[in-house]
Amino acid sequence: MKKMLKFTLLIMLPLLTLSCSDDDDNLSDELIYYDLMISNDTENDIIIYLNATSDTRGFVNNGNIAAGENLLVTDLEADVLYEIRAVNAGGELEDFFIEMQFENDNEEQQSISIEN
């Protein structure tokens, strides 16, 4: 009987280790992304620059927004601090008139309004 019990345990041991899945371990590592709607509530066309503080590239040009229009920036990573700079069209990055930081911790769209 003892031999049968040992034999059963020896067969079950590999099955137990193989049945454990590491899929559950990756749930906390799954990245969350969200979109940012930027509204230009100024009377001038502007250029939007974004900088992810966790990125070494620095500020990246995300496009122009005409006066009174909107720009949708997609796939921003949640739980990452970003900086936004607004520059009048034709100006340089260093000539910004607004600089602010923002962060989002979920996948819901966030909105920012640029005003003078």
Side-chain angles (χ1 to χ4, degrees):
M1 183 70 174
K2 283 186 177 183
K3 287 184 182 181
M4 186 64 156
L5 184 59
K6 285 182 181 180
F7 180 71
T8 304
L9 288 174
L10 284 174
I11 290 183
M12 298 267 304
L13 185 62
L15 292 175
L16 289 173
T17 57
L18 292 176
S19 68
C20 293
S21 172
D22 63 345
D23 292 343
D24 296 341
D25 296 338
N26 293 332
L27 290 177
S28 63
D29 296 333
E30 190 173 318
L31 296 177
I32 299 172
Y33 294 94
Y34 67 98
D35 298 338
L36 175 67
M37 179 64 72
I38 305 170
S39 300
N40 179 1
D41 293 332
T42 71
E43 296 177 1
N44 302 314
D45 295 352
I46 60 173
I47 306 169
I48 295 297
Y49 293 92
L50 288 179
N51 176 30
T53 57
S54 62
D55 191 348
T56 59
R57 293 181 299 164
F59 283 93
V60 175
N61 185 332
N62 283 94
N64 296 345
I65 311 175
E69 297 293 322
N70 301 316
L71 172 70
L72 182 64
V73 180
T74 60
D75 298 327
L76 296 177
E77 190 176 330
D79 295 318
V80 171
L81 182 64
Y82 287 89
E83 294 174 307
I84 186 170
R85 282 188 181 175
V87 177
N88 285 316
E92 298 295 322
L93 173 63
E94 295 77 24
D95 299 329
F96 62 92
F97 65 92
I98 287 183
E99 179 180 63
M100 67 177 89
Q101 295 182 335
F102 66 93
E103 184 175 4
N104 194 14
D105 64 355
N106 57 56
E107 59 190 24
E108 293 181 24
Q109 180 175 302
Q110 187 170 351
S111 297
I112 292 179
S113 177
I114 305 295
E115 302 172 349
N116 277 340

